[in-house]
Amino acid sequence: MKSMPDNNKISKYTKPLNINIGLIVFAVIFVYVVVAVYMFFTQKNIVPYEVKIGSLSASNIYRGIALREEEIVTAEQAGYITYLAREGTRTGVNSPVYVIDQMGELTAYLDRLDTEETALSARDLQELRTEILGFVHDFDETAFESVYDFKYNVEGTVLKLANFNVLSGIEELGTQMIFSGFAPRSGIVIYSTDGFEELVLEDLSRDFFNQQNYDKVQLINNNLVGEGDPVFKLSTSEDWSIVIQVEDENKAEELLSRQYIRVKFLKNQYQSWGRVRTFTDERGDVFVELGFTNSMITFCQDRFVDIELITEEERGLKIPNSAIVEKEFFIIPAEFITRGGRNNAFGVLREAFTEDGQPTTEFIETVIYHETDDELYLDDMMLRIGDFLIMPDSADRYRISRRGTLIGVFNINKGYADFKQINILYQNEEYAIVRSNTRYGLTVYDYIALDARMVHENEFIYE
């Protein structure tokens, strides 16, 4: 009898290989992204900067101290003072400036007039209207202090219009207890004192420029004054000056070399020429005095004046300060340079020795980075301190021992970092203006490394 096949036998099933193309592609992309991100954060990011012609304006805005010929006039009697002259106007010698009422009779008389209806003439109203319209037209919200100037101007105009009441009151009262004060000489009347009246350039120090220490005393109308108290001040000359404190002596020497410099007054945008004089105090602080022969009356009430020095803009190649670097070079006499090699390039003859010890020379090609009348600045990559150079067609020798520093940038036009010397004409906090078309320097449209710290000389920039 035949045996039946065993259909219950279990055999292991071998699963056919199924390659997931999508998963492989995803893995490749993932690895690529990881490598790209790693390279992005680890490789140098050298940003090129295209050199162009530009200019820089110097920051020449200063707050200066105004110095004038000023004379303080004091009261000859005690009493209540009433001013007749308008502040900031010129008065003649022996002209009445104020009256002093010892008993208060004049003040009481003027108070009675104030309680009565007083009509201003059409001419008086026109003068007040002119003051108001001038203020409205010139008002600047960024200069709110002009409101106070307007206030004092209106008060001065009203005071001038009311002077006839004061004078008529003196005649009507006929008292011997009212004294008139006169100007001892002609000048501009000022109703304030500050202790700066007798200062000259050589008296100033940095402390005077601290306005927190500045104390201005306003002389107020109708106040009680004592005998010998200041009652007004006269500015007696159109010759005046503004003193500023500058950064260093180099700035002072630059201004002094001009003798005269154009000055813009920021208060009214008026411009004038000032004669330059300088002074350095015991602390080493440097001050510049700008002397003027006009416009004193415009600023007679101001002790601190904001000005801008108008100087010519420096033009040249404009480069960022981040691109500037310093590099050391060997300095050799100019007569030791020669030409040679396959390309007839610049180089030097360095002393060498043959295998049997016989002296000879070898030509070392080098790059000249700067030259003066009798010296050259050479690359130090192929030369060493202590090497002896041989003068061409001569037996004279020179031992390399001197180094010098040049200021420059890394030019990357050719795909590698090539140092180029620059001659800075002017520099501020962000940019420098350098001379263009120098023999070993930059030209317009050159590309330089924006950040010199990211680059080493002769390093390849592009692959």
Side-chain angles (χ1 to χ4, degrees):
M1 183 176 182
K2 263 184 188 177
S3 63
M4 298 296 293
D6 187 3
N7 293 329
N8 294 325
K9 184 178 180 181
I10 299 175
S11 300
K12 185 177 181 181
Y13 176 75
T14 303
K15 186 177 181 181
L17 180 62
N18 186 11
I19 300 176
N20 191 331
I21 300 299
L23 183 61
I24 295 176
V25 172
F26 176 79
V28 171
I29 294 175
F30 177 77
V31 171
Y32 174 79
V33 171
V34 170
V35 172
V37 171
Y38 173 78
M39 293 180 63
F40 176 80
F41 284 103
T42 57
Q43 71 179 358
K44 290 183 179 180
N45 185 21
I46 299 174
V47 180
Y49 176 86
E50 185 180 12
V51 177
K52 294 182 179 180
I53 294 291
S55 63
L56 291 179
S57 297
S59 179
N60 286 329
I61 295 178
Y62 297 91
R63 173 160 292 180
I65 294 177
L67 302 181
R68 297 175 283 263
E69 292 184 15
E70 297 171 319
E71 177 183 349
I72 296 178
V73 180
T74 57
E76 297 181 4
Q77 302 287 339
Y80 293 92
I81 189 167
T82 301
Y83 290 113
L84 304 177
R86 180 181 176 183
E87 185 175 25
T89 59
R90 183 176 296 278
T91 186
V93 60
N94 292 327
S95 296
V97 178
Y98 66 94
V99 294
I100 288 182
D101 177 13
Q102 288 187 314
M103 303 300 295
E105 297 178 7
L106 180 60
T107 302
Y109 172 80
L110 294 177
D111 288 341
R112 289 197 304 272
L113 290 179
D114 288 340
T115 60
E116 301 174 1
E117 184 177 352
T118 302
L120 294 176
S121 67
R123 184 175 179 180
D124 296 340
L125 289 173
Q126 180 61 36
E127 188 163 355
L128 282 174
R129 188 179 296 110
T130 300
E131 288 280 358
I132 296 171
L133 290 177
F135 168 74
V136 172
H137 181 267
D138 298 330
F139 177 68
D140 183 0
E141 293 181 355
T142 62
F144 190 76
E145 65 273 8
S146 62
V147 175
Y148 297 98
D149 295 335
F150 169 67
K151 172 188 174 183
Y152 293 131
N153 287 339
V154 171
E155 287 179 350
T157 301
V158 173
L159 176 62
K160 183 180 69 174
L161 297 178
N163 280 348
F164 74 94
N165 287 335
V166 177
L167 297 176
S168 62
I170 294 175
E171 294 176 356
E172 183 176 324
L173 292 174
T175 177
Q176 300 297 318
M177 304 306 292
I178 297 177
F179 300 90
S180 296
F182 302 94
R185 55 186 51 80
S186 63
I188 310 300
V189 177
I190 305 296
Y191 295 131
S192 64
T193 62
D194 57 10
F196 285 41
E197 285 79 13
E198 297 183 359
L199 286 179
V200 295
L201 172 63
E202 290 74 16
D203 296 331
L204 292 181
S205 68
R206 72 176 75 156
D207 300 329
F208 286 94
F209 289 82
N210 185 356
Q211 289 188 248
Q212 294 182 349
N213 301 329
Y214 180 67
D215 185 18
K216 181 178 180 179
V217 179
Q218 196 72 38
L219 305 176
I220 307 300
N221 194 42
N222 296 327
N223 270 11
L224 179 64
V225 298
E227 183 178 352
D229 288 348
V231 288
F232 71 96
K233 180 170 62 181
L234 278 178
S235 295
T236 57
S237 175
E238 273 294 321
D239 294 336
W240 66 297
S241 65
I242 294 178
V243 179
I244 61 175
Q245 183 177 357
V246 297
E247 303 81 30
D248 49 42
E249 291 188 358
N250 292 334
K251 181 67 174 181
E253 289 297 328
E254 175 194 343
L255 298 177
L256 187 61
S257 65
R258 298 172 182 263
Q259 295 186 348
Y260 288 87
I261 192 165
R262 191 151 51 102
V263 176
K264 178 192 289 185
F265 299 93
L266 301 187
K267 177 180 180 179
N268 58 1
Q269 302 300 304
Y270 175 78
Q271 294 185 15
S272 183
W273 288 89
R275 183 178 179 85
V276 181
R277 198 161 68 93
T278 64
F279 169 70
T280 303
D281 67 7
E282 296 178 352
R283 297 179 180 177
D285 294 329
V286 185
F287 304 92
V288 173
E289 182 180 50
L290 304 166
F292 306 95
T293 58
N294 54 38
S295 307
M296 185 275 291
I297 191 172
T298 305
F299 304 96
C300 62
Q301 301 176 50
D302 302 319
R303 183 63 69 187
F304 293 91
V305 181
D306 293 328
I307 63 173
E308 179 181 3
L309 307 183
I310 307 299
T311 57
E312 296 180 359
E313 294 182 338
E314 297 285 2
R315 292 190 60 83
L317 302 179
K318 186 176 181 179
I319 63 174
N321 290 337
S322 60
I324 299 175
V325 66
E326 290 187 3
K327 186 178 183 303
E328 282 193 341
F329 297 89
F330 287 130
I331 302 176
I332 70 166
E335 56 266 23
F336 282 83
I337 199 73
T338 185
R339 283 184 177 272
R342 296 180 180 179
N343 300 323
N344 196 32
F346 284 108
V348 292
L349 297 176
R350 182 169 64 183
E351 183 181 67
F353 295 90
T354 63
E355 293 182 358
D356 56 1
Q358 296 299 317
T360 184
T361 60
E362 57 179 343
F363 178 78
I364 304 296
E365 183 177 338
T366 185
V367 179
I368 301 174
Y369 287 89
H370 178 63
E371 66 176 273
T372 63
D373 293 338
D374 53 1
E375 292 182 332
L376 301 174
Y377 285 69
L378 302 184
D379 188 6
D380 60 358
M381 294 188 64
M382 300 297 294
L383 300 173
R384 298 182 298 274
I385 290 286
D387 284 349
F388 281 94
L389 305 182
I390 307 300
M391 184 184 298
D393 302 323
S394 172
D396 292 347
R397 303 161 71 226
Y398 174 79
R399 183 177 181 273
I400 297 178
S401 59
R402 293 180 58 203
R403 284 182 176 270
T405 301
L406 295 179
I407 298 176
V409 296
F410 288 118
N411 186 307
I412 57 176
N413 288 347
K414 300 177 181 179
Y416 63 90
D418 183 18
F419 181 89
K420 294 292 184 181
Q421 185 218 4
I422 59 174
N423 185 356
I424 298 178
L425 300 175
Y426 178 75
Q427 189 173 22
N428 62 17
E429 295 180 355
E430 297 182 359
Y431 290 92
I433 297 298
V434 306
R435 195 182 304 280
S436 61
N437 298 321
T438 55
R439 184 172 182 181
Y440 302 106
L442 294 174
T443 58
V444 66
Y445 304 127
D446 277 348
Y447 281 92
I448 62 175
L450 178 62
D451 189 351
R453 297 172 301 177
M454 302 292 295
V455 184
H456 298 288
E457 189 174 10
N458 295 322
E459 177 183 1
F460 284 98
I461 306 301
Y462 307 110
E463 295 183 357

